Amino acid sequence: MVKTDEYEPIDAEKLYHLDAFVTLCRENNAKVLLVEMPTMSSWNYERHNAVEQYARANGIAFLDMNLLYEQAGISMTNCFRDEGHHLNYYSASAVTKYIGNYISQNYEIKSAVSDETAEKWNDNYQKFLKQAKAEKGFEKV
């Protein structure tokens, strides 16, 4: 990410769908948060500038995690599990935590911890873990 004032226009078809998505969210009183995940291969400052311009023009928050490595607690030198396409487990966890904290500080989202759906999800998750261990030969179901 080499800082520049240039921008790469958002493709017309993608812009059409983005506008439709934003409109749908607003019609349903849902706030929009645009997030770009860290990558070394498919993102650049020109694209950042275009999305930032769109976000400002539409009153939408935008987190470009490519500019927030330090704040998220990751290092560009060792955060990818491949050639800059995908974060490794540690870095993905750190970025997820950063975004979660941002959301909890900037959006009013009701906790579903005591919700019946959350309980079912947790039960299914435990079943998944048990099955995953069984398939790896660590324990029998």
Side-chain angles (χ1 to χ4, degrees):
M1 294 273 294
V2 178
K3 190 167 184 171
T4 180
D5 291 333
E6 299 295 316
Y7 73 96
E8 181 180 323
I10 300 172
D11 174 78
E13 183 178 351
K14 290 176 184 172
L15 186 58
Y16 170 81
H17 292 291
L18 181 56
D19 285 338
F21 173 76
V22 169
T23 298
L24 179 65
C25 288
R26 287 189 172 144
E27 288 171 352
N28 289 280
N29 297 316
K31 290 185 178 180
V32 177
L33 171 62
L34 300 176
V35 177
E36 176 60 33
M37 297 300 287
T39 180
M40 293 179 64
S41 59
S42 63
W43 193 249
N44 57 42
Y45 222 99
E46 292 85 350
R47 289 178 179 170
H48 164 86
N49 289 340
V51 173
E52 184 175 59
Q53 180 182 36
Y54 178 88
R56 283 187 183 168
N58 290 281
I60 298 170
F62 173 43
L63 292 178
D64 188 342
M65 297 307 300
N66 291 287
L67 302 178
L68 299 170
Y69 282 85
E70 188 175 318
Q71 294 91 325
I74 61 174
S75 171
M76 186 176 187
T77 59
N78 64 359
C79 67
F80 297 102
R81 63 178 175 85
D82 51 19
E83 293 78 36
H85 302 291
H86 303 94
L87 293 172
N88 60 34
Y89 176 82
Y90 171 80
S91 299
S93 296
V95 168
T96 300
K97 183 177 180 180
Y98 181 90
I99 294 169
N101 287 336
Y102 179 90
I103 290 170
S104 69
Q105 292 171 7
N106 294 281
Y107 296 84
E108 293 179 24
I109 297 177
K110 179 184 168 199
S111 174
V113 172
S114 63
D115 189 325
E116 181 181 313
T117 305
E119 187 177 324
K120 288 179 185 177
W121 188 92
N122 288 329
D123 289 344
N124 287 334
Y125 177 64
Q126 292 305 316
K127 289 176 187 175
F128 165 79
L129 290 177
K130 189 174 182 179
Q131 181 65 35
K133 287 180 182 179
E135 289 177 7
K136 292 181 181 178
F138 294 115
E139 96 183 22
K140 296 187 181 207
V141 178

